[in-house]
Amino acid sequence: MAIQGNVRTRTNTRTNTRTNTRTNTRKDTRIFSSVPTKRYMVVKRLMDIVISSTLLCLLSPLIIFISYRIYKKEGRPIFCQDWFLGKNNQKFLLWRFRTMAKPSRVIRALPPYPYPLPDSWKYGMPNEFTSEQDSSITLTLTGEWLKRYRLHRIPQLWNILKGEMSIIGPEVGIEKGDYCDIYQMNRLKLRPGLFGYAQLTKESEKAQWEKTKLDLHYVTNCSLREDLRIIIKTLNNIRKDS
């Protein structure tokens, strides 16, 4: 009887261990492979179309004014274009108002030019790294004003209308998928956003791995309530900066 009891105990222990392992595996899989509901994605896309098209119409006088000011004070090009990866690793051309005065930056703007990455990244982009701004790069007078109020991102409304971006989403920042691991590539399950948790902080205030963590938090918890919360925080930040 004692032997049978030991056998049963071992069997139950193994069964519980297997069950716990399977449960933990399922939980981990669900965390990293969670997919937003179809209803949420449809509503989100409709909101993107309505908001982006409305803002493009309402802000058209401001867009014309900024374009004219850049053209008169800093010259051409007016827009800066860069290739980035969007949802499901699809490349798209990101539009922004030009804010920098470096000649090489201007030349790279038209046509788009891929910026060189460190050789050490051939084995993958590290989670922790710092970016240093070239001392020869200077913001134009118009660029400083645009950056302060985040107006240089207005042309991205065109990317949103085309379906390449979203009003709310992970930060745009992946230029080449070859340099990202599976964990980092989870950011591309959703369209990049004009606003988001990572975009609420300035580039120098958080490390790249912290921004990636914020993006993945949104990817796994995205909802209309989260979107509304991000919009309110963004408006509060803009109000404080002004």
Side-chain angles (χ1 to χ4, degrees):
M1 295 296 292
I3 296 176
Q4 292 179 355
N6 291 335
V7 172
R8 289 177 181 176
T9 302
R10 292 177 183 175
T11 305
N12 292 335
T13 303
R14 291 176 182 175
T15 304
N16 292 334
T17 303
R18 291 176 181 175
T19 303
N20 292 335
T21 303
R22 291 175 181 175
T23 303
N24 293 334
T25 303
R26 289 174 183 174
K27 287 183 179 179
D28 294 340
T29 303
R30 186 168 63 252
I31 289 174
F32 289 100
S33 64
S34 60
V35 179
T37 62
K38 185 176 181 180
R39 178 183 299 178
Y40 167 74
M41 295 303 296
V42 171
V43 173
K44 184 179 180 69
R45 179 59 189 146
L46 290 175
M47 291 179 62
D48 287 340
I49 294 174
V50 172
I51 294 175
S52 60
S53 58
T54 302
L55 288 178
L56 281 172
C57 293
L58 295 177
L59 297 177
S60 56
L62 180 61
I63 295 174
I64 295 173
F65 169 76
I66 294 174
S67 301
Y68 179 77
R69 178 169 176 171
I70 294 175
Y71 175 76
K72 294 297 291 184
K73 290 185 175 294
E74 288 88 29
R76 295 181 178 180
I78 296 173
F79 299 99
C80 178
Q81 302 170 328
D82 295 298
W83 286 105
F84 285 96
L85 289 181
K87 184 179 179 181
N88 298 327
N89 302 352
Q90 296 295 321
K91 286 186 176 182
F92 72 97
L93 196 60
L94 182 72
W95 286 78
R96 288 173 292 193
F97 281 120
R98 181 171 66 88
T99 58
M100 299 183 181
K102 183 182 178 182
S104 60
R105 178 76 177 186
V106 176
I107 294 173
R108 288 175 179 176
L110 292 173
Y113 185 86
Y115 301 109
L117 297 174
D119 294 335
S120 60
W121 284 25
K122 63 182 178 180
Y123 299 108
M125 180 178 67
N127 288 325
E128 297 188 38
F129 65 90
T130 57
S131 57
E132 297 181 358
Q133 184 174 354
D134 191 344
S135 59
S136 60
I137 295 178
T138 56
L139 288 175
T140 63
L141 293 177
T142 306
E144 291 180 359
W145 174 64
L146 294 176
K147 283 273 191 177
R148 179 180 179 183
Y149 298 103
R150 298 177 176 86
L151 297 178
H152 64 294
R153 298 180 180 178
I154 290 180
Q156 294 177 22
L157 291 171
W158 176 244
N159 292 114
I160 296 173
L161 186 60
K162 291 171 61 180
E164 298 165 340
M165 291 182 60
S166 181
I167 297 294
I168 306 296
E171 186 179 29
V172 179
I174 299 180
E175 298 184 28
K176 292 185 177 181
D178 299 337
Y179 293 93
C180 300
D181 56 26
I182 297 176
Y183 177 76
Q184 296 163 345
M185 291 296 286
N186 280 313
R187 296 165 59 190
L188 301 181
K189 289 183 177 180
L190 296 176
R191 294 183 180 91
L194 182 63
F195 305 114
Y197 284 122
Q199 295 90 311
L200 288 172
T201 59
K202 296 181 180 179
E203 296 180 359
S204 58
E205 290 182 350
K206 284 188 178 293
Q208 182 63 31
W209 70 271
E210 290 180 311
K211 290 187 176 183
T212 301
K213 187 177 180 180
L214 289 173
D215 284 336
L216 293 179
H217 170 77
Y218 176 77
V219 170
T220 55
N221 298 280
C222 57
S223 65
L224 295 178
R225 180 178 298 179
E226 287 290 318
D227 293 348
L228 181 59
R229 184 178 303 172
I230 292 173
I231 291 176
I232 293 174
K233 288 185 177 181
T234 301
L235 294 177
N236 288 335
N237 282 5
I238 294 176
R239 181 178 55 84
K240 291 178 181 179
D241 292 340
S242 59

